[in-house]
C-alpha cells in the first residue's frame, strides 16, 4: 500500500500568513489521484482539493494544491480564522486508498 | 443536498460484532460508491472499504477478514459489520459517498467503544 507522510506535524501561524503543507508518497500516485481534506474538532473531514490541484465545490480560492508523482503541496495563501484545523492528504489511485497522518495548523 | 447519518450501538464488547448502518437522504444511492472510514480517538483516518450500489465491494486488506459491507438501495441504506472486535477497533466511524475524485459527502460520525 502507498504510505503518505505529511509534514510538518504542526504548523504555528498567524491569521493572514501563508501556509504550506507537504504530502510525500512512498510510491508514485497514479494519475495524481491525490486529495486534501480539512477537519475541525468534532466534525467530519471536508474535501478541499482533488486530482492534486482541482478545488472542490464551494472551496475558496485561497486554497490551492500542486504537485505530481510522489510530492504534493497544499497552500493556503492567507489564513483566515476558520482555516485553523487539521489537514489530511489522501491517495485514491491505488487500493487500498490511504491517508496521511495529518498536519495541524494552529494559531501562533 | 445529500445527507448521511450513521446509527448503531456506541458500545461493543470485545470479541463481538460491531454493526453500523448509514442512511442516505437527499439523493439516490444508484451509480455511486459508498464507503466506511474510521478514526481512532486523536489519530488519523483509515479507509475500511466500499460498496457500489449494485453490491460489489472492495475492502482494506488490513481488515478484509473481519469486514462485511452490504447495501439496501430500497431503504437508501448501507451497513458495516466488523467481527471479533478488540480495543483497537475503538474509533469514530464515518460513512461517506465516494466519487472518482474523493469523498464528497460524509456522515457526522459515530463513536464506537469496544469495552467489557
Amino acid at each position: 500500500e502507498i504510505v503518505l507522510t505529511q509534514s510538518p506535524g504542526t504548523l504555528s501561524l498567524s491569521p493572514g500568513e501563508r501556509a504550506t503543507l507537504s504530502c510525500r508518497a512512498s510510491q508514485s500516485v497514479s494519475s495524481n489521484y491525490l486529495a486534501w481534506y480539512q477537519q475541525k474538532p468534532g466534525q467530519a473531514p471536508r474535501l478541499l482539493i482533488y486530482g492534486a490541484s482541482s478545488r472542490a465545490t464551494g472551496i475558496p480560492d485561497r486554497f490551492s494544491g500542486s504537485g505530481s508523482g510522489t510530492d504534493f503541496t497544499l497552500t493556503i495563501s492567507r489564513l483566515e480564522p476558520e482555516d485553523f484545523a487539521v489537514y489530511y492528504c489522501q491517495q485514491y489511485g491505488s487500493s487500498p486508498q490511504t491517508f496521511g497522518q495529518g498536519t495541524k495548523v494552529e494559531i501562533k | 443536498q445529500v445527507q448521511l447519518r450513521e446509527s448503531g450501538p456506541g458500545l461493543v464488547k470485545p470479541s463481538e460484532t460491531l454493526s453500523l448502518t448509514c442512511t442516505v437522504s437527499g439523493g439516490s444511492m444508484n451509480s455511486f460508491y459508498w464507503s466506511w472510514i474510521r478514526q481512532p480517538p486523536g489519530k488519523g483516518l483509515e479507509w475500511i472499504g466500499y460498496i457500489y450500489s449494485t453490491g460489489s465491494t472492495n475492502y482494506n486488506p488490513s481488515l478484509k477478514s473481519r469486514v462485511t459491507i452490504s447495501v439496501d438501495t430500497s431503504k437508501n441504506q448501507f451497513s458495516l459489520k466488523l467481527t471479533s472486535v478488540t480495543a483497537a477497533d475503538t474509533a469514530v466511524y464515518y460513512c461517506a459517498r465516494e466519487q472518482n475524485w474523493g469523498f464528497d459527502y460524509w456522515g457526522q460520525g459515530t463513536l464506537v467503544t469496544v469495552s467489557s
Side-chain angles (χ1 to χ4, degrees), chain A residues 1 35 37 39 43-45 47 50 88 90 92 95-97 99 101, chain B residues 39 43-45 47 50 58 60-61 94 98 100-103 106-107:
Chain A
E1 78 177 40
Y37 297 83
Q39 187 178 34
Q43 296 184 17
L47 178 65
Y50 63 92
Y88 293 95
Q90 176 224 359
Y92 51 97
S95 187
Q97 50 197 300
F99 292 88
Q101 82 280 16
Chain B
Q39 184 172 37
K43 296 187 178 180
L45 300 158
W47 174 72
Y50 70 59
N58 185 22
N60 192 322
Y94 294 100
E98 182 173 348
N100 289 335
W101 54 84
F103 301 105
W106 295 66

Side-chain angles (χ1 to χ4, degrees), chain B residues 5-106:
Chain B
R5 187 177 72 243
E6 304 88 354
S7 59
L11 181 63
V12 181
K13 290 182 168 55
S15 79
E16 295 191 342
T17 297
L18 180 159
S19 296
L20 296 174
T21 296
C22 182
T23 302
V24 180
S25 59
S28 172
M29 293 191 70
N30 293 331
S31 303
F32 288 105
Y33 292 89
W34 302 92
S35 275
W36 287 97
I37 297 152
R38 70 180 183 179
Q39 184 172 37
K43 296 187 178 180
L45 300 158
E46 179 181 33
W47 174 72
I48 298 170
Y50 70 59
I51 188 163
Y52 190 60
S53 54
T54 56
S56 60
T57 55
N58 185 22
Y59 301 137
N60 192 322
S62 67
L63 297 167
K64 188 174 184 177
S65 63
R66 299 194 291 131
V67 171
T68 302
I69 299 175
S70 58
V71 66
D72 186 342
T73 54
S74 67
K75 294 182 178 179
N76 263 28
Q77 293 178 334
F78 64 108
S79 299
L80 169 71
K81 289 190 186 300
L82 182 65
T83 62
S84 304
V85 298
T86 70
D89 295 309
T90 293
V92 174
Y93 285 77
Y94 294 100
C95 57
R97 189 177 81 172
E98 182 173 348
Q99 298 265 35
N100 289 335
W101 54 84
F103 301 105
D104 61 350
Y105 288 101
W106 295 66

Side-chain angles (χ1 to χ4, degrees), chain A residues 46-63:
Chain A
R46 176 175 70 143
L47 178 65
L48 300 175
I49 300 288
Y50 63 92
S53 60
S54 298
R55 270 187 301 277
T57 303
I59 301 304
D61 60 8
R62 64 180 181 273
F63 291 92

